[in-house]
Amino acid sequence: MRGILASSIGVTCAAALALPLAPPAAASARTPAPAADVATRTAETADARADVPGSTQSLPLRPLTHDRASGAVLGLTPRTVRTFSLLGVVWDDPSADLHGRVQVRTRAAGTGEWTDWQDVETHSTQHGADPDSPEAASGTVRGATAPLWVGESDGVEVRVLPEPDPGGHGEHGEQPGERGEPEDAGPADTGSGGGPSGGEGAGDADEVSALPAGMRLDLVDPGEAGPEESAEPAEGAEPAESAEIPRTGVMTAAAKAASAVNSALVPLGATEIPSLTAEETREELVSLRGPELTEQQQAKPYIGPRPAIVTRRGWGADESLREGSFVYTSTVKAAFVHHTASGNNYSCSQAPSLIRGFYRYHTRSLGWRDIGYNFLIDKCGRIYEGRAGGVAKPVKGAHTMGFNSKTTGIAVIGSYGSKKPSSKAVKAVARLTAWKLGLHGRNPKKKTSLTSGGGNLYAKGTKVKMKVISGHRDGFNTSCPGGKLYKKLSSVRSKAATYQGR
């Protein structure tokens, strides 16, 4: 496993090592939860998707009475909240590192049962805009953990455990189970009959002050599923590649703009960009970029067949959440592959809800201009449009700090430190990169030169030789996209080159 540093500067987008701290499930599952004192940021409802409003509840974390068994000093005792499905912890300073572990338990809305403790990935700053870029310097950006998908829930408990030695082996030493996905913590004696780990109280002032200021728990409701959310493909079936189906209803100006940038590929309001044959894709390439192509590229363009892509309208993006303009880079020289580190406990039919959750978390909680990734892929191999601006255009994302210029970011939904990605997802990464990189004449099996915008591996201005298809850890000291997915990238490069006809 690469990217091992002993410093506290390094970060990772894999989940922290689970601790044996959970109270007995039977006792805790029926613990009454008080109503929450909630500060809520409600979604703007001007979007055409009135059936998918969504909302964010923001709960300040409080000092906890110190508990010897857990060591938690900050958090929230069990409480009832409005229904949510995704969560994360946010703090004021985006440059501040959280040297500690965040653990959560949630109560399922359908059954009333509490889960065991789960770890939330605390090191997520390596995703984001490049240092000194307008997006990073906007004044709205905040520090945060990775988002964790927990499914429909109406109760929550949180605890933050500071690291006694931030300079130790910490986040970059590979541990048993390999950090990379949230795992349930094992059971342990809490010493008080299965109640919460500690009441809200004074806590330990020194340990609390060592944590980032302004820590709060954001609970995201991604909104109700729209009628076009697709059913999960049958076992062994390929993702559906049906023709586009325009949504009914009036589109806002923002929704029209987000759809219009794909107008060379599909009609306004399309929910899916259909796949093309190899020949159709080559013809489209000439129509899209003809004047820019060399004679050799026009005579024999190396590009993979365009895969089917669910548009932002298809997954239900509330276009009022993002900034209005689109930001582009000059070309696409490389693709960075990520995992979302949000856990694997989701069905493919829920993927649009997860993406709406990521989008709301990135914009409302982290203060980004839009969702950070250019594309997302679920475990069934379905591909989704990410950051707005047009799937065939060089949209500048916020996915690999220091290397967002002249690249595209592809995130496989899930956590792949200790779990293998599905073969469908790996194939989809290869198909997408064969097409996207082919639009710019890039060979997936080659290397390219990129200039760092600043990060913890390469100083700003450093020219770096990078594989055309790289993992996030190649540009930043992190374990993302998880060891199991990273090992698949060699196969992805070969398949992508084959799809391009090389």
Side-chain angles (χ1 to χ4, degrees):
M1 184 60 80
R2 302 183 52 229
I4 299 177
L5 282 185
S7 72
S8 61
I9 298 175
V11 292
T12 177
C13 66
L17 178 65
L19 296 178
L21 301 170
S28 61
R30 293 169 178 78
T31 302
D37 177 15
V38 181
T40 303
R41 297 194 295 274
T42 304
E44 300 173 46
T45 56
D47 186 70
R49 290 288 313 268
D51 56 326
V52 190
S55 65
T56 300
Q57 304 171 69
S58 194
L59 290 70
L61 300 188
R62 305 180 186 279
L64 297 176
T65 302
H66 195 78
D67 186 284
R68 291 183 180 179
S70 72
V73 298
L74 201 67
L76 293 172
T77 53
R79 61 197 57 218
T80 296
V81 295
R82 290 205 310 276
T83 304
F84 69 98
S85 297
L86 181 142
L87 59 81
V89 171
V90 182
W91 54 90
D92 296 339
D93 184 358
S95 66
D97 291 326
L98 172 54
H99 298 297
R101 290 188 171 96
V102 174
Q103 295 185 318
V104 297
R105 294 192 311 137
T106 56
R107 186 179 62 197
T111 65
E113 295 295 313
W114 286 85
T115 67
D116 291 331
W117 289 104
Q118 296 184 80
D119 283 292
V120 181
E121 166 49 46
T122 57
H123 304 287
S124 192
T125 55
Q126 75 278 19
H127 297 98
D130 295 339
D132 303 324
S133 67
E135 184 170 1
S138 65
T140 64
V141 178
R142 291 174 282 274
T145 67
L148 177 66
W149 177 261
V150 295
E152 193 169 295
S153 305
D154 60 9
V156 69
E157 180 181 7
V158 187
R159 62 190 184 192
V160 180
L161 297 80
E163 283 181 359
D165 179 15
H169 66 271
E171 66 256 26
H172 290 289
E174 293 303 332
Q175 304 296 330
E178 192 180 19
R179 301 157 308 118
E181 57 185 303
E183 298 175 359
D184 291 339
D189 180 12
T190 61
S192 58
S197 58
E200 293 180 4
D204 188 307
D206 290 339
E207 290 182 303
V208 171
S209 65
L211 296 170
M215 292 185 70
R216 54 200 180 272
L217 176 71
D218 275 14
L219 305 175
V220 178
D221 171 14
E224 295 297 322
E228 287 86 1
E229 284 202 10
S230 56
E232 190 163 352
E235 185 68 28
E238 291 293 322
E241 297 186 350
S242 57
E244 68 282 351
I245 305 172
R247 279 192 186 279
T248 58
V250 178
M251 296 177 68
T252 64
K256 287 180 179 177
S259 181
V261 286
N262 289 316
S263 61
L265 311 181
V266 286
L268 188 71
T271 60
E272 184 175 72
I273 299 167
S275 62
L276 296 180
T277 65
E279 182 58 33
E280 289 170 336
T281 303
R282 287 191 287 269
E283 292 174 357
E284 181 182 74
L285 173 64
V286 173
S287 67
L288 289 175
R289 305 193 65 239
E292 306 168 48
L293 300 177
T294 65
E295 290 185 9
Q296 183 178 358
Q297 287 175 318
Q298 292 188 38
K300 186 173 177 55
Y302 292 103
I303 184 170
R306 188 183 76 193
I309 303 171
V310 177
T311 65
R312 290 171 63 90
R313 189 160 173 81
W315 54 259
D318 177 354
E319 299 295 351
S320 70
L321 298 180
R322 64 171 175 83
E323 291 192 17
S325 61
F326 309 123
V327 177
Y328 299 96
T329 185
S330 58
T331 187
V332 176
K333 299 177 71 176
F336 281 100
V337 178
H338 306 257
H339 68 173
T340 57
S342 52
N344 300 305
N345 189 25
Y346 74 94
S347 66
C348 294
S349 61
Q350 292 176 313
S353 292
L354 270 80
I355 297 171
R356 290 196 301 273
F358 300 151
Y359 173 45
R360 175 170 286 278
Y361 188 66
H362 285 182
T363 55
R364 282 297 184 258
S365 298
L366 277 65
W368 296 357
R369 61 177 294 114
D370 195 348
I371 191 170
Y373 307 114
N374 297 102
F375 298 92
L376 300 97
I377 295 173
D378 67 26
K379 64 177 71 173
C380 289
R382 190 180 297 274
I383 302 168
Y384 301 84
E385 178 183 16
R387 181 164 286 207
V391 297
K393 298 183 179 183
V395 179
K396 187 175 184 179
H399 50 84
T400 306
M401 186 180 288
F403 292 100
N404 290 308
S405 292
K406 301 181 181 180
T407 67
T408 192
I410 301 167
V412 181
I413 301 173
S415 301
Y416 300 103
S418 58
K419 182 179 177 61
K420 292 181 179 180
S422 70
S423 59
K424 294 176 184 177
V426 173
K427 180 180 179 181
V429 175
R431 295 182 66 205
L432 176 58
T433 52
W435 173 71
K436 183 67 176 180
L437 294 170
L439 289 172
H440 299 272
R442 310 301 175 188
N443 185 338
K445 298 179 75 173
K446 298 293 186 179
K447 290 186 177 183
T448 190
S449 178
L450 297 173
T451 301
S452 174
N456 65 1
L457 275 185
Y458 303 103
K460 184 175 181 179
T462 304
K463 294 187 181 300
V464 184
K465 278 288 187 181
M466 203 81 71
K467 291 180 179 178
V468 169
I469 299 178
S470 288
H472 187 179
R473 64 176 63 180
D474 294 317
F476 205 94
N477 188 39
T478 171
S479 67
C480 185
K484 298 296 185 181
L485 177 54
Y486 188 77
K487 290 177 181 178
K488 297 291 185 181
L489 295 189
S490 177
S491 171
V492 166
R493 295 178 191 108
S494 296
K495 289 179 180 177
T498 300
Y499 290 140
Q500 286 189 346
R502 296 183 186 273

